[in-house]
């Protein structure tokens, strides 16, 4: 099991940027694919982006292509989500998640989840 703690959320104006961090502990971080999901008020949690353990394969939701980037620093056991050109519809709680094996875009493929960090994008 991996323990995950997100940080970096906050209030930002539309068009602005934020970088979220997700610190992992408990197991060998290098063995885990990492994903970011988000849940807007009144909606189901949805996939945002995921990356393989070695960073060689990345999946993104169409809604964030060209604006959001996932990266990881295995030496620091941390994965990042750089969000640029934020839109009001990006207002949500953002969660990071971990799974052994390949990166995936389905929520149920992930075993470990953080508590989430709130991102609010004002128009």
């Amino acid at each position: 099991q991996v323990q995950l703690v997100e940080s970096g959320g906050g209030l930002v104006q539309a068009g602005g940027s934020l970088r979220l961090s997700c610190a992992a502990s408990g197991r060998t971080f290098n063995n885990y694919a990492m994903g970011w999901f988000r849940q807007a008020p009144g909606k189901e949690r949805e996939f945002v982006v995921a990356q393989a353990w070695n960073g060689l394969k990345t999946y993104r939701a169409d809604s964030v292509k060209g604006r959001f980037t996932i990266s990881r620093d295995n030496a620091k056991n941390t994965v990042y989500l750089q969000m640029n050109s934020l839109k009001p519809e990006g207002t949500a709680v953002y969660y990071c998640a971990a799974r052994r094996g390949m990166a995936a875009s389905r929520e149920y493929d992930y075993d470990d989840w953080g508590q989430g960090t709130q991102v609010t994008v004002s128009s």
Side-chain angles (χ1 to χ4, degrees):
Q1 187 176 3
V2 177
Q3 289 77 47
L4 303 171
V5 179
E6 302 95 335
S7 61
L11 174 64
V12 64
Q13 288 188 332
S17 298
L18 275 179
R19 189 177 80 156
L20 306 183
S21 300
C22 174
S25 61
R27 288 294 181 99
T28 304
F29 180 68
N30 298 22
N31 296 336
Y32 286 79
M34 300 298 296
W36 286 94
F37 292 76
R38 65 186 179 186
Q39 186 168 21
K43 295 187 177 181
E44 294 185 352
R45 190 154 54 184
E46 65 174 5
F47 170 73
V48 177
V49 63
Q51 189 172 69
W53 69 272
N54 57 6
L56 294 183
K57 188 70 174 179
T58 300
Y59 300 96
R60 290 183 186 86
D62 288 343
S63 59
V64 304
K65 284 181 179 178
R67 300 186 299 116
F68 289 15
T69 302
I70 186 173
S71 62
R72 60 192 295 161
D73 185 337
N74 286 342
K76 295 182 178 180
N77 286 2
T78 301
V79 64
Y80 304 97
L81 179 64
Q82 178 66 44
M83 305 185 293
N84 299 327
S85 302
L86 281 160
K87 303 176 180 180
E89 52 264 40
T91 295
V93 177
Y94 284 73
Y95 299 88
C96 69
R99 70 182 302 267
R100 295 184 66 91
M102 299 174 64
S105 60
R106 297 172 301 188
E107 185 175 344
Y108 58 78
D109 284 326
Y110 288 82
D111 303 308
D112 301 301
W113 292 81
Q115 83 290 347
T117 185
Q118 176 71 47
V119 172
T120 302
V121 185
S122 64
S123 57

